[in-house]
Amino acid sequence: MGQNKDDIQAQLQALRESYVAQLPGRIAEVEKHWQVLLSPDGSATLLKELHRQVHSMVGSAGTFGLPELGQQARQVEIRLKALGENPKVPANERGAIGEGIAQLRRLMEARVAAADQAEPVAAEPIAAPATNLVYLLEESKRHTLRLPDTLAHFGYSVKTFHDQGALSAALATQRPLALIMDFQTPEVQHSCTDRLKEFQATQSQELPVLFVSHLSQFSERLAAVRAGAYAYLTQPVDVATVVDRLDALSAHTDPEPYRAIVLDDDIELAQHTALVLTGAGIKVRVINNPAEILALLDEFQPDVLLVDLYMPECDGMEVARLIRQDASQVSLPIVFLSSETDPDKQFSALMTGGDEFLTKPIEDRHLISVVKSRAQRSRALEGAMSRDSLTGLLKHTKIKEQLELEVIRSLREGSRLGFAMIDIDFFKKVNDNYGHPVG
């Protein structure tokens, strides 16, 4: 991605300054459209455009450090929305809307200078696990899972404990990637769960814990969840399942950054969203024209699509419907971005194929959290359908699809492309002699 925190902060500052510089012109356009709407030339199309302009200001003003302006724009938007599609503004509404628009200009003139001194805060990237160390608490020394040797083949280092006190001392000095707790009796499980809950309460971020147990009742599972359980596996456990859970935490099978497309006709707001996500380690592509979305979906293969709800030529709901017609994009998470607060409108948007609705202005950390969680689930689903569960390699059909995409990309960019197929003779002997985990 090639951008450090200082670069991103400088770009965010430049975007805010650009937005503030353009604000007088935007308000002048709103004033112009309002005057024409009151004249004999007023039309439903003009009313729709005026509403779109004010609606855009509701979300963008707060994002760029002018929350009072955004709140005032929302009041004007509510009155414009109440007009429906009737361009004939009732006499009792003319004064209120006109005064609301005049207040936009007064707030802009009063607040621009003060807001110019504020610096946007770039969101801190969420740090990835710094170690592949795994703690294992076994109730007995029978090594029922034989995890240390097996996990070593997958790049993990396992430190085993048979005493809760020793485990507590180790946790006080070094935090592992995850803790695996292997239980044989209900009494020990209940005791460990209670102590673990107390430990988690002292942590700023919960330690991921994998429970391995003979018990599968609701009460035990609920207690594990309350103690910060990342997974609850009932015995007998397939070691490959444990590896999959650890890989999800350490991103062994998911080394590529998440990819997101931002579709928004507001150029500055789209760039702001992209910079915030880039600062969190997400690869982002921005487009302002909905007509470009299909080609970019095929080329970029995003994990998440963020789309503005209201755009001049094609709204976000229409984009969602269009994308969902493609069977290959049925599982793509679509997140709507809008200052729309009407629950009915939000529900209608989700019914067209959206997965989440974020109301502008959106707090940076909230945006990052939603995009990462949606991307993680998207990749997990895609991986389950297209990758071998043991090796993490693409399945036969998916390999051919990916190769076709890479060939197209190579031809377009004029870059080199290499592809190799490797066949290992008598590989069954490795599995027979050393076991499938080693193979």
Side-chain angles (χ1 to χ4, degrees), residues 119-150:
E119 293 186 3
V121 178
E124 291 284 352
I126 298 174
T131 175
N132 287 340
L133 175 63
V134 176
Y135 285 171
L136 169 63
L137 176 65
E138 284 189 319
E139 180 179 337
S140 69
K141 297 184 179 181
R142 291 180 294 174
H143 304 298
T144 54
L145 293 179
R146 301 185 180 278
L147 280 177
D149 293 338
T150 303

Side-chain angles (χ1 to χ4, degrees), residues 338-384:
S338 177
S339 55
E340 178 61 71
T341 57
D342 185 341
D344 290 335
K345 290 290 183 67
Q346 293 184 1
F347 181 75
S348 296
L350 294 177
M351 288 296 292
T352 64
D355 297 279
E356 191 142 359
F357 197 106
L358 297 182
T359 305
K360 300 176 183 177
I362 305 161
E363 186 178 347
D364 291 351
R365 288 187 177 276
H366 187 192
L367 174 67
I368 293 168
S369 176
V370 168
V371 171
K372 283 196 169 185
S373 64
R374 289 291 178 182
Q376 183 181 35
R377 292 176 187 174
S378 174
R379 288 228 178 150
L381 178 60
E382 174 67 18

